Amino acid sequence: MPVNPELVGRDFPPTAPYLVGREKVREFARAVFADDPQHTDPDAAQALGYADVVAPPTFAMVIQDLTLQQLLAEPDSGIELHRLIHAEQRFAYSRPIVAGDELVATLAITQVRPFGKGAMVTSEATITDADDAHVVTATSVLLVGGDEE
Amino acid sequence: MSAHTIDSAELAVGDIVAERTVHLTRESLVRYAGASGDFNPIHYRDDIAASVGLPGVLAHGMLTMGLAAETVVPWLGDAGRILDYGVRFTRPVVVDPDAGADVTVQGKVLALDEEFVTIDLSVTAADTAVLGKARLRARRG
């Protein structure tokens, strides 16, 4: 099944709120070799003006991933995990993610473009906080392989 | 390496602001899988990586993207200065079960004005660029 071009512009419900925990930020920081104290030490983060430890910039992917699960769960998407290659990733921040944030992501498919036997799909997650203020927009360009001969 | 801070008037295009080499092992990949929730088995199972035609178990692209950005965060001083960050995943990082893999990151000033700086991140493994157009734009003030 080819990628469904009608995914562009489709409305998706916001994801369930994700509460960012201090230990999760520390765990993620360790995993990406983020040794700056702002990611692990609340005093260092507070010295920079944040309420708690600051998540590394790519932590937003953990929240965006919830929207990619929504996309894969669409029965008519034509997108299967095993044919998917992550080609590009971008983040545009209004502010960093901080422990204590309760975040919600809203998925939009902004482009489906034919590419070889498959398609390039641009998937955007707009991530907002409990006050509905913008935190970060995470954009993935996914290369979806075509059906095998 | 440039001794210039992000707010220094001396900071110039071409300055190298940070560099490091990170040694990845299979344990690094399992740790990232757990921390991120990305349990795609091509990142920890040789048999599955081989069955889909890969040269070996690969590091998560998002792990490479993450450690690349963190190379410059101490120089930035505050990760909250970052306005945008984007990469293309051009080549995989193959992580040998014994030898692991070394990922080398160098951050260089690509453009700047009084308010903003754009850092180009050169990211290589086995002498091959693994990320393309890896760029991070940050506030200087």
Side-chain angles (χ1 to χ4, degrees):
Chain A
M1 183 169 66
V3 176
N4 185 352
E6 291 173 12
L7 289 170
V8 177
R10 183 173 293 185
D11 285 329
F12 293 91
T15 56
Y18 180 103
L19 178 61
V20 180
R22 182 188 289 169
E23 297 304 338
K24 186 69 193 179
V25 170
R26 287 173 167 163
E27 180 191 8
F28 189 87
R30 185 174 178 197
V32 294
F33 300 83
D35 36 27
D36 202 77
Q38 65 189 285
H39 303 303
T40 50
D41 177 359
D43 290 338
Q46 281 159 15
L48 294 171
Y50 300 106
D52 206 325
V53 292
V54 180
T58 57
F59 183 77
M61 191 72 209
V62 174
I63 320 298
Q64 186 188 12
D65 193 57
L66 304 172
T67 66
L68 295 173
Q69 300 306 322
Q70 279 182 309
L71 178 61
L72 290 169
E74 286 289 287
D76 65 345
S77 72
I79 299 172
E80 294 165 58
L81 185 60
H82 72 277
R83 291 192 294 139
L84 209 62
I85 292 171
H86 197 181
E88 292 181 37
Q89 180 67 34
R90 296 189 292 274
F91 300 101
Y93 308 89
S94 289
R95 67 166 179 85
I97 294 173
V98 172
D101 278 339
E102 197 171 279
L103 302 174
V104 164
T106 306
L107 169 66
I109 303 301
T110 57
Q111 192 176 52
V112 174
R113 188 163 62 85
F115 187 87
K117 288 178 182 169
M120 294 282 265
V121 176
T122 304
S123 179
E124 194 175 277
T126 304
I127 298 172
T128 53
D129 64 17
D131 297 326
D132 210 25
H134 181 261
V135 177
V136 51
T137 297
T139 305
S140 297
V141 178
L142 307 169
L143 176 58
V144 184
D147 287 328
E148 283 159 40
E149 298 289 309
Chain B
M1 198 180 305
S2 166
H4 302 314
T5 57
I6 189 168
D7 54 358
S8 164
E10 305 290 310
L11 188 67
V13 170
D15 283 359
I16 294 165
V17 299
E19 53 193 333
R20 67 170 172 171
T21 295
V22 173
H23 182 64
L24 296 180
T25 64
R26 291 290 175 84
E27 182 192 320
S28 316
L29 307 192
V30 172
R31 186 181 297 283
Y32 185 78
S36 67
D38 181 346
F39 290 100
N40 187 332
I42 64 165
H43 302 303
Y44 52 87
R45 277 187 57 177
D46 294 272
D47 57 331
I48 290 182
S51 75
V52 296
L54 296 172
V57 160
L58 309 182
H60 303 73
M62 289 305 301
L63 169 55
T64 306
M65 183 181 186
L67 72 85
E70 287 302 328
T71 302
V72 298
V73 166
W75 178 76
L76 292 173
D78 175 355
R81 289 179 187 268
I82 302 171
L83 299 170
D84 44 72
Y85 176 40
V87 307
R88 290 183 184 165
F89 301 103
T90 50
R91 304 282 297 176
V93 176
V94 178
V95 180
D96 183 85
D98 292 320
D102 284 327
V103 177
T104 299
V105 183
Q106 185 184 73
K108 192 186 274 188
V109 176
L110 184 72
L112 83 167
D113 60 24
E114 286 183 8
E115 276 186 277
F116 305 109
V117 58
T118 301
I119 303 296
D120 182 68
L121 295 164
S122 147
V123 185
T124 58
D127 296 321
T128 305
V130 295
L131 298 182
K133 286 207 188 311
R135 285 172 190 174
L136 184 153
R137 196 169 61 96
R139 278 186 289 108
R140 297 182 68 189

